Amino acid sequence: MGSLDGRAVIEFEDESLVSPVAASISTNKNSFHEITHISAATSAKSYRQHMRNSVIDSIKIVIFSAKINILMPLGPLAILVDKMSGSHGWVFFLSLLGIIPLAERLGYATEQLACFTGPIVGGLLNATFGNITELIISIYALKSGMIRVVQQSLLGSILSNMLLVLGCAFFSGGIVFYEKEQVFDKATASVDSGLLLMAVMGLLFPAVLHSTHTELHFGKSELALSRFSSCIMLVAYASYLAYQLKRQKNQYIPVDGGETQTEEGSDDEEAPEISMWESIIWLSILTAWVSFLSEYLVNAIEGASASLKIPVAFISVILLPIVGNAAEHAGAVMFAMKDKLDISLGVAIGSSTQIAMFGIPFCVVAGWVMGRPMDLNFQLFETATLFITVLVVAFMVQDGTSNYLKGLMLVLCYLIVAASFFVHIDPSSIG
């Protein structure tokens, strides 16, 4: 009994010693859970606050940083005017102005995304999204059966890039660097010029076949030839992309800078202002809004032509491409004024090459799928204009140098083209 009582006393003493420690551990454990819960709630709250601030900052950068965005409200105003009055002239004018800042912001978002993808993929993204406005307008016009508007708008995009955009880049760069001639890689420019001549050949044969009435099957051979040539042009453009990705680490490298200029260029690169996912989200939002607004623009073309007494050919070849090329125009001039003429050349001629070798054949194939007889017969007047333009630009870039005089000549050539289409009557619209 004595031993049992002693054991009970010892156990009681042990329990009295252990229970405060256990209580302390339990209290600390509960306090740890409470602190963890509070810190998790604080982290979640701070994360939500950070996300909210990030969204607000992104909106400020994309929407409110550029002065040209003051034209953005004209897009919704065009829709409102269409619903209330149906005035095609005002709807066309307002939607045309409303698309300009969207095209510029598309170029900005693409440049931000290119900072994360590298120079090769970034160059392809710039070329693709730089032309997305023209392609969207063309798809809506093709869906509405306005085949001539599609043809003329794509043709006008090529002419605008090669004459107006490249001319302004040469002119502005030549004025800023008046004491020297700017140089660029003439080998790359020659490759692009060769692709453009191939595109001219693809457009020339259906037009000549139609004009000479030498079709084997009237009304069918021309369309079949156009679809076959379009597939060949798409294969050629895919081969060009493969060559560019595999053989060239950078498509446009300055000729007389070597490694020193490349290192300086890498030091001069600006850090991205928005994140990669923000760039992707903004590209999606802007592309969707351009698509929505393009439908109103296309539907108002014919009515605007009648009310404003402006030929449809002039609207399609001159006005629409100027709006679609707003981003390329600003970017090419900016790079030329920074003595980065190779990039300007890549923006202007590279964009023209993509429209000629991808945009036009893609619309022919898309029309084939949609049941629309879209072909490569751009009529002799338009095809001759494109052929002469490609020759002029090829001669301008063959020596690999530029100055303000060359730029002025290209801009004046574009004014001649614009005046020609203002007095041109589309034969397919007669009757």
Side-chain angles (χ1 to χ4, degrees):
M1 291 293 293
S3 62
L4 292 174
D5 293 338
R7 189 184 307 152
V9 170
I10 291 172
E11 290 177 355
F12 177 76
E13 290 176 353
D14 291 340
E15 289 177 0
S16 64
L17 291 173
V18 172
S19 57
V21 177
S24 176
I25 293 174
S26 177
T27 304
N28 292 335
K29 188 176 182 180
N30 293 333
S31 300
F32 175 75
H33 285 302
E34 290 177 0
I35 293 172
T36 304
H37 180 71
I38 293 173
S39 63
T42 304
S43 300
K45 184 177 180 181
S46 63
Y47 176 75
R48 287 194 296 269
Q49 184 67 29
H50 172 71
M51 290 297 295
R52 189 179 300 111
N53 293 336
S54 178
V55 171
I56 294 175
D57 292 339
S58 179
I59 293 174
K60 287 180 179 179
I61 292 172
V62 177
I63 302 298
F64 297 104
S65 62
K67 295 180 180 179
I68 197 174
N69 289 347
I70 195 174
L71 298 176
M72 276 191 178
L74 297 182
L77 183 60
I79 299 175
L80 184 63
V81 170
D82 181 72
K83 298 297 183 184
M84 296 183 63
S85 66
S87 175
H88 293 291
W90 279 107
V91 172
F92 175 80
F93 180 72
L94 293 174
S95 57
L96 191 71
L97 293 179
I99 287 179
I100 292 177
L102 300 178
E104 192 275 334
R105 290 289 89 183
L106 274 172
Y108 170 81
T110 306
E111 290 176 0
Q112 296 298 306
L113 184 59
C115 295
F116 301 95
T117 59
I120 298 175
V121 179
L124 296 177
L125 286 173
N126 273 304
T128 302
F129 280 96
N131 294 321
I132 195 68
T133 307
E134 295 97 316
L135 291 176
I136 290 174
I137 293 174
S138 299
I139 292 299
Y140 271 104
L142 190 61
K143 186 178 178 181
S144 302
M146 304 170 68
I147 295 176
R148 288 295 292 156
V149 172
V150 176
Q151 293 177 333
Q152 291 172 345
S153 63
L154 293 175
L155 172 71
S157 180
I158 299 173
L159 299 177
S160 174
N161 276 303
M162 296 188 70
L163 295 178
L164 183 62
V165 176
L166 187 62
C168 289
F170 281 0
F171 182 77
S172 57
I175 292 296
V176 174
F177 300 94
Y178 181 80
E179 297 180 353
K180 69 170 186 177
E181 279 194 330
Q182 293 180 293
V183 295
F184 52 85
D185 187 6
K186 61 181 179 180
T188 307
S190 299
V191 173
D192 287 333
S193 300
L195 286 173
L196 288 170
L197 284 172
M198 180 180 176
V200 170
M201 185 176 68
L203 300 180
L204 183 62
F205 289 146
V208 173
L209 190 66
H210 176 80
S211 300
T212 56
H213 304 287
T214 55
E215 296 179 77
L216 180 62
H217 302 285
F218 183 76
K220 296 182 180 179
S221 299
E222 176 189 331
L223 184 59
L225 176 62
S226 298
R227 290 170 176 174
F228 176 79
S229 300
S230 297
C231 295
I232 297 297
M233 291 164 68
L234 289 174
V235 171
Y237 185 70
S239 302
Y240 167 71
L241 291 182
Y243 171 80
Q244 178 181 345
L245 290 173
K246 291 182 180 179
R247 296 293 183 88
Q248 298 176 343
K249 298 299 182 184
N250 191 354
Q251 185 178 3
Y252 292 96
I253 303 174
V255 176
D256 62 341
E259 297 178 356
T260 305
Q261 282 195 5
T262 304
E263 293 174 358
E264 290 177 357
S266 61
D267 294 337
D268 293 339
E269 289 181 357
E270 299 178 357
E273 297 180 357
I274 56 179
S275 66
M276 182 180 69
W277 286 108
E278 288 174 342
S279 303
I280 295 174
I281 292 172
W282 278 113
L283 279 176
S284 304
I285 294 174
L286 292 170
T287 303
W289 180 232
V290 169
S291 302
F292 185 73
L293 199 58
S294 296
E295 186 175 2
Y296 288 87
L297 178 67
V298 170
N299 292 335
I301 287 178
E302 293 182 348
S305 174
S307 61
L308 300 176
K309 298 187 184 329
I310 300 176
V312 175
F314 182 82
I315 293 176
S316 304
V317 177
I318 305 301
L319 297 183
L320 293 182
I322 288 178
V323 172
N325 293 330
E328 288 98 329
H329 201 157
V333 171
M334 178 187 67
F335 286 121
M337 295 176 68
K338 294 180 179 179
D339 202 18
K340 298 179 179 179
L341 200 61
D342 298 280
I343 303 179
S344 299
L345 204 71
V347 170
I349 298 185
S351 182
S352 299
T353 303
Q354 188 181 62
I355 287 292
M357 296 297 293
F358 174 76
I360 294 176
F362 173 78
C363 288
V364 172
V365 175
W368 191 0
V369 174
M370 297 165 59
R372 302 292 184 184
M374 169 78 180
D375 56 24
L376 296 179
N377 178 19
F378 278 44
Q379 307 297 331
L380 282 179
F381 183 83
E382 287 90 342
T383 308
T385 304
L386 178 61
F387 179 60
I388 296 173
T389 297
V390 172
L391 288 181
V392 169
V393 174
F395 277 108
M396 290 289 184
V397 301
Q398 66 176 347
D399 60 347
T401 62
S402 73
N403 50 55
Y404 75 93
L405 181 59
K406 287 185 177 181
L408 181 61
M409 291 170 63
L410 291 176
V411 173
L412 294 178
C413 287
Y414 186 75
L415 294 179
I416 295 175
V417 170
S420 301
F421 277 96
F422 190 79
V423 298
H424 171 61
I425 297 178
D426 188 2
S428 61
S429 65
I430 298 177

